[in-house]
């Protein structure tokens, strides 16, 4: 039988967020140990795409290419770090921090041996859970669930970080150019200062919004009067964006209903599936032209499970069972939407205006970021994230069924880890970063991608510094 949802009470939350009369739901850690994983829903959040009503950027915030058409100075560089602050990321942040002094050394002018004129900012992956306000750790407008693209000064939230090396009132690092008119804005050395800023902790939202965080941060930084990010972007500086994350992008529009916490079953007639990371894979990707499997045939009464069970990848070898998906790309507005016979709506009956699509197409996101420079060749991007293929080019995207205790033990689909790194503590892992890898590839020689599962990040950070300075 199909059991439709019954709404017993309606409550309107601040900031336009809705909730059902349900207990707070924690998306969890997505570590393959059962339970409810950290969902990573997404939404298109803009009318049109690269050529639709939303214009060239699909309604995304974008720059003006200011600078009179002149190329940026090779001696000036604005560096934006997007650091995933969801559960399981603390040891990976520590690994990143260990290499940041060497990374900054790689940005020095080889002729003078001095640091270039740097601006360095840090933003988290937490931007809430769309139009829902009762998802634990993802509350709208509240740190650590929603940092709103504001620069972080270490743990504690924007403007309240505990990195005391920054001068009072400063929001990002400035190395200066060695003159009295443009001094550095921190005490001590820049390496330890950035290390402190990048260690955000792992109590943020489990629905990572990597792209939305970057686009929001840049839009704020382009406004010289913005109280959080203003003054960061300079027309005559190159721009480098670095992402550290162990899950794929799942940015959601503010009015998206995709992350409805009242639905936690693949048998639900909405087609949303369980409240776990896989919901975003299913709505955010196309593999061989088709969405990843839902796990149940909703045309049957009751819905029939149709996905084989399997196991997660470990440090000693790949996972088993399920199905390996090939040719996976960002759905870019052409993927799965809600079940038309049962569209998901908020408690007032208003349907999801995003129809379950992700926030922005990859071409639109790429174009929007490039638009901040007069010469798009002055924009560089890098990601340290989950690989999508192995060294032989074979897909690492495996989906299998696993028991969902929060849904009475039904066998719901999950995505396998694409890499696992053995450590003295808990293993480190990552899932296939389909959208992020596709985004990096769109920058050609100005983009680099490194797997996050590694003994250290020395090779990755060295390559990232090199691509932005050569």
């Amino acid at each position: 039988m199909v059991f439709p949802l019954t709404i017993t009470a309606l409550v309107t939350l601040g900031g336009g967020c809705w909730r059902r009369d349900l207990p707070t739901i924690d998306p969890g850690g997505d570590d393959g140990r059962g339970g409810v994983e950290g969902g990573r829903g997404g939404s298109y959040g803009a009318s049109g795409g690269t050529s639709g009503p939303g214009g060239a950027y699909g309604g995304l915030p974008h720059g003006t290419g200011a600078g009179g058409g002149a190329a940026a100075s090779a001696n000036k560089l604005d560096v934006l770090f997007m650091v995933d602050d969801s559960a399981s990321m603390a040891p990976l942040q520590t690994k990143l921090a260990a290499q940041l002094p060497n990374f900054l050394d790689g940005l020095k002018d080889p002729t003078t041996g001095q640091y270039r004129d740097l601006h360095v900012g840090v933003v988290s992956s937490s931007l809430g859970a769309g139009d829902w306000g009762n998802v634990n750790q993802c509350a709208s407008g509240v740190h650590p669930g929603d940092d709103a693209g504001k620069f972080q000064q270490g743990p504690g939230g924007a403007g309240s970080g505990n990195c005391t090396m920054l001068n009072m009132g400063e929001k990002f690092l400035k190395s200066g150019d060695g003159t009295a008119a443009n001094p550095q804005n921190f005490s001590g050395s820049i390496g330890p200062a950035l290390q402190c800023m990048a260690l955000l902790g792992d109590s943020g939202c489990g629905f990572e919004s990597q792209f939305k965080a970057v686009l929001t941060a840049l839009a704020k930084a382009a406004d010289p009067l913005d109280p959080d990010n203003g003054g960061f972007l300079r027309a005559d500086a190159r721009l480098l964006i670095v992402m550290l994350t162990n899950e794929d992008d799942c940015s959601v529009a503010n009015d998206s209903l995709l992350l409805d916490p009242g639905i936690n079953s693949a048998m639900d007639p909405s087609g949303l599936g369980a409240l776990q990371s896989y919901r975003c894979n299913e709505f955010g990707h196309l593999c061989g032209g088709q969405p990843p499997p839902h796990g149940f045939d909703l045309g049957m009464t009751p819905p029939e499970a149709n996905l084989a069970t399997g196991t997660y990848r470990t440090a000693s070898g790949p996972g088993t069972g399920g199905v390996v998906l090939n040719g996976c790309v960002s759905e870019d507005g052409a993927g799965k939407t809600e079940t038309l016979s049962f569209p998901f709506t908020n408690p007032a009956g208003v349907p999801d205006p995003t129809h379950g699509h992700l926030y922005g197409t990859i071409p639109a996101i790429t174009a929007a970021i490039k638009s901040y420079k007069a010469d798009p060749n002055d924009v560089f991007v890098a990601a340290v994230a989950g690989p999508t293929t192995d060294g032989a080019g074979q897909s690492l995207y495996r989906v299998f069924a696993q028991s969902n205790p929060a849904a009475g033990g039904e066998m719901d689909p999950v995505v396998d880890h694409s890499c696992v790194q053995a450590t003295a503590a808990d293993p480190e892992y990552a899932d296939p970063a389909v959208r992020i890898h596709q985004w990096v590839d769109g920058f050609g020689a100005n983009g680099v991608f490194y797997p996050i599962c590694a003994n250290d990040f020395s090779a990755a950070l060295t390559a990232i510094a090199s691509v932005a300075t050569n």
Side-chain angles (χ1 to χ4, degrees):
M1 293 179 61
V2 174
F3 297 94
L5 290 174
T6 300
I7 301 174
T8 57
L10 307 180
V11 181
T12 303
L13 301 182
C17 292
W18 293 86
R19 61 160 295 185
R20 300 180 193 276
D21 187 22
L22 295 167
T24 296
I25 296 175
D26 186 347
D30 190 15
D31 61 1
R33 299 174 185 170
V36 181
E37 298 183 4
R40 296 180 294 121
S43 60
Y44 192 37
S47 59
T50 54
S51 59
Y57 309 103
L60 303 176
H62 59 88
T64 62
S73 167
N75 196 52
K76 289 187 176 182
L77 181 65
D78 299 334
V79 185
L80 174 60
F81 278 92
M82 194 302 303
V83 177
D84 187 340
D85 66 339
S86 65
S88 77
M89 282 299 301
L92 296 165
Q93 292 174 17
T94 299
K95 231 178 228 189
L96 170 71
Q99 296 299 324
L100 287 176
N102 293 333
F103 164 77
L104 292 167
D105 285 346
L107 299 179
K108 289 181 177 179
D109 186 314
T111 303
T112 65
Q114 302 298 312
Y115 287 117
R116 298 167 196 267
D117 186 351
L118 302 175
H119 283 184
V120 188
V122 177
V123 67
S124 80
S125 58
S126 292
L127 272 87
D131 205 24
W132 298 102
N134 63 323
V135 178
N136 194 26
Q137 298 180 319
C138 301
S140 299
V142 178
H143 173 80
D146 179 8
D147 289 322
K150 299 175 182 179
F151 286 150
Q152 305 294 298
Q153 300 81 41
S160 301
N162 63 5
C163 297
T164 57
M165 293 177 68
L166 268 172
N167 293 350
M168 183 173 294
E170 297 291 340
K171 305 302 174 65
F172 56 89
L173 291 172
K174 302 175 186 177
S175 68
D177 61 5
T179 68
N182 186 22
Q184 67 181 39
N185 66 344
F186 56 91
S187 59
S189 302
I190 191 171
L194 182 54
Q195 286 177 315
C196 178
M197 287 173 59
L199 292 170
L200 300 183
D202 59 359
S203 60
C205 182
F207 304 107
E208 294 93 329
S209 298
Q210 295 93 328
F211 286 146
K212 189 178 178 185
V214 167
L215 289 169
T216 305
L218 291 177
K220 290 171 66 64
D223 178 2
L225 300 181
D226 183 86
D228 307 297
N229 302 4
F232 174 79
L233 278 179
R234 298 170 291 178
D236 59 347
R238 292 178 172 181
L239 173 62
L240 169 63
I241 299 166
V242 183
M243 287 189 179
L244 177 78
T245 180
N246 65 353
E247 291 195 83
D248 198 13
D249 168 73
C250 211
S251 301
V252 295
N254 293 338
D255 55 2
S256 171
L257 299 178
L258 187 62
L259 302 180
D260 187 340
I263 297 173
N264 190 27
S265 170
M267 292 191 289
D268 189 89
S270 66
L272 281 178
L275 184 67
Q276 49 190 347
S277 295
Y278 188 75
R279 186 181 294 186
C280 190
N281 292 69
E282 188 175 352
F283 279 84
H285 301 158
L286 286 173
C287 298
Q290 299 295 321
H294 183 69
F296 283 83
D297 183 350
L298 296 181
M300 304 291 289
T301 305
E304 180 180 329
N306 54 13
L307 180 64
T309 60
T311 63
Y312 276 97
R313 175 183 292 273
T314 68
S316 60
T320 62
V323 59
V324 175
L325 305 181
N326 293 285
C328 298
V329 297
S330 173
E331 61 92 30
D332 282 0
K336 180 177 178 178
T337 60
E338 75 270 37
T339 302
L340 295 181
S341 60
F342 194 92
F344 36 94
T345 62
N346 66 24
V350 178
D352 186 349
T354 73
H355 303 293
H357 293 303
L358 295 183
Y359 176 83
T361 67
I362 299 303
I365 292 167
T366 300
I369 291 172
K370 288 182 176 179
S371 73
Y372 283 94
K373 294 288 110 182
D375 182 351
N377 289 318
D378 287 326
V379 180
F380 306 85
V381 301
V384 183
T388 57
T389 59
D390 62 19
Q394 299 299 306
S395 176
L396 292 171
Y397 200 136
R398 178 188 301 275
V399 173
F400 61 92
Q402 184 190 55
S403 175
N404 180 0
E410 74 178 31
M411 302 302 292
D412 289 333
V414 294
V415 62
D416 191 9
H417 306 317
S418 61
C419 70
V420 177
Q421 180 70 25
T423 68
D426 291 336
E428 298 164 357
Y429 58 86
D431 296 347
V434 171
R435 277 168 58 84
I436 292 173
H437 205 314
Q438 188 175 337
W439 169 70
V440 169
D441 288 345
F443 285 81
N446 280 17
V448 290
F449 184 101
Y450 272 80
I452 198 170
C453 300
N455 289 328
D456 60 56
F457 297 152
S458 58
L461 272 292
T462 297
I464 293 169
S466 178
V467 75
T469 55
N470 291 335

